[in-house]
Amino acid sequence: QTSRGEFDSSEYEVRRRYQDFLWLKSKLEEAHPTLIIPPLPEKFIMKGMVERFSDEFIETRRKALHKFLNRIADHPTLTFNEDFKIFLTAQAWELSSHKKQGPGLLSRMGQTVRAVASSVRRGVKNRPEMFTEMNDYVETFSQKINVLDKIAHRIYKEEKEYFNEMKEYGPIHTLWSASEENIADSLKGVASCIDKCCKATEKRMAGLSENLLPVLHEYVLYSEILM
């Protein structure tokens, strides 16, 4: 939905694949080589933690892609990019046709700017101290955030293994209580306690997967862009 005058309608509904988002990001990078383009969620985000086509995986990616579009829409320059407008409004066949077109003038200029920047980066011997400090800071930040990202994923994996084991113990104690009259209440109490622990662990895992892990990994992706 939009209230901006350069759009022909106030509301659009289109279908987009992940590959279309990759195309948009590459077009933004070509047209705006000096800007930091927001990162896309990786194609197999949280690999090994959720199944590729599970509801959890699809919802995690949907939220991340939605955030990607909102960041572009909120950006003072990227929001007026013509390819972004086409991405938001064109029907699938129109977008497919547009994607087949060769690079325009801005894209060629962007490629030239990147090529020049790359050659300058290799050739500069006496880089200004300010840029050296920035580079060192980003390198250090990147190393530390990557370590945090790996630790957070390991914690989540261990929590999941612990949770799966606990899920088995509750029913076992409940069944056990049926054949042990003298300690039945105690066994049921243990089963109830395990069930509460399971629910608490599941809630904590949801908090990790929804609030912490995606944010940490976004910092990893941003640090790569900055580098």
Side-chain angles (χ1 to χ4, degrees), residues 101-128:
Q101 296 176 12
L105 176 62
L106 283 175
S107 296
R108 293 197 296 274
M109 285 175 62
Q111 291 166 3
T112 303
V113 169
R114 279 201 303 280
V116 170
S118 179
S119 63
V120 167
R121 195 160 54 241
R122 288 195 301 269
V124 171
K125 292 181 180 177
N126 300 314
R127 180 182 291 178

Side-chain angles (χ1 to χ4, degrees), residues 46-80:
M46 295 165 66
K47 189 175 180 182
M49 292 166 52
V50 291
E51 293 299 322
R52 181 183 170 191
F53 295 114
S54 71
D55 291 343
E56 184 185 356
F57 172 82
I58 292 168
E59 182 60 14
T60 299
R61 186 195 278 183
R62 187 197 66 76
K63 286 180 179 177
L65 292 173
H66 189 67
K67 187 183 290 184
F68 169 76
L69 292 178
N70 279 339
R71 282 174 171 162
I72 297 171
D74 290 338
H75 194 283
T77 303
L78 299 178
T79 189
F80 296 106

Side-chain angles (χ1 to χ4, degrees), residues 48-221:
M49 292 166 52
V50 291
E51 293 299 322
R52 181 183 170 191
F53 295 114
S54 71
D55 291 343
E56 184 185 356
F57 172 82
I58 292 168
E59 182 60 14
T60 299
R61 186 195 278 183
R62 187 197 66 76
K63 286 180 179 177
L65 292 173
H66 189 67
K67 187 183 290 184
F68 169 76
L69 292 178
N70 279 339
R71 282 174 171 162
I72 297 171
D74 290 338
H75 194 283
T77 303
L78 299 178
T79 189
F80 296 106
N81 178 274
E82 189 62 26
D83 289 305
F84 180 50
K85 180 183 176 184
I86 289 167
F87 178 90
L88 294 176
T89 61
Q91 292 304 311
W93 66 269
E94 293 175 306
L95 181 65
S96 179
S97 174
H98 185 76
K99 286 164 73 173
K100 290 175 183 175
Q101 296 176 12
L105 176 62
L106 283 175
S107 296
R108 293 197 296 274
M109 285 175 62
Q111 291 166 3
T112 303
V113 169
R114 279 201 303 280
V116 170
S118 179
S119 63
V120 167
R121 195 160 54 241
R122 288 195 301 269
V124 171
K125 292 181 180 177
N126 300 314
R127 180 182 291 178
E129 188 175 341
M130 178 179 70
F131 291 104
T132 302
E133 289 175 0
M134 287 168 62
N135 185 67
D136 292 344
Y137 179 88
V138 174
E139 277 190 357
T140 303
F141 176 81
S142 180
Q143 291 167 4
K144 291 182 183 297
I145 206 69
N146 268 283
V147 170
L148 282 173
D149 185 51
K150 288 175 182 175
I151 290 171
H153 277 78
R154 190 165 70 240
I155 289 171
Y156 183 89
K157 185 182 176 184
E158 290 174 0
E159 288 265 303
K160 193 170 185 179
E161 290 170 355
Y162 177 55
F163 171 73
N164 289 334
E165 286 184 11
M166 273 201 302
K167 273 201 307 185
E168 297 177 7
Y169 284 121
I172 287 171
H173 281 76
T174 302
L175 288 170
W176 188 8
S177 68
S179 59
E180 295 283 355
E181 291 183 12
N182 294 336
I183 55 172
D185 290 342
S186 297
L187 290 172
K188 287 178 181 176
V190 171
S192 174
C193 181
I194 291 172
D195 184 56
K196 288 177 182 177
C197 286
C198 267
K199 289 176 180 175
T201 303
E202 191 172 28
K203 186 177 180 181
R204 189 165 62 246
M205 285 167 55
L208 280 172
S209 65
E210 292 172 16
N211 303 319
L212 179 63
L213 294 178
V215 174
L216 273 178
H217 201 67
E218 269 197 337
Y219 275 112
V220 171
L221 297 175

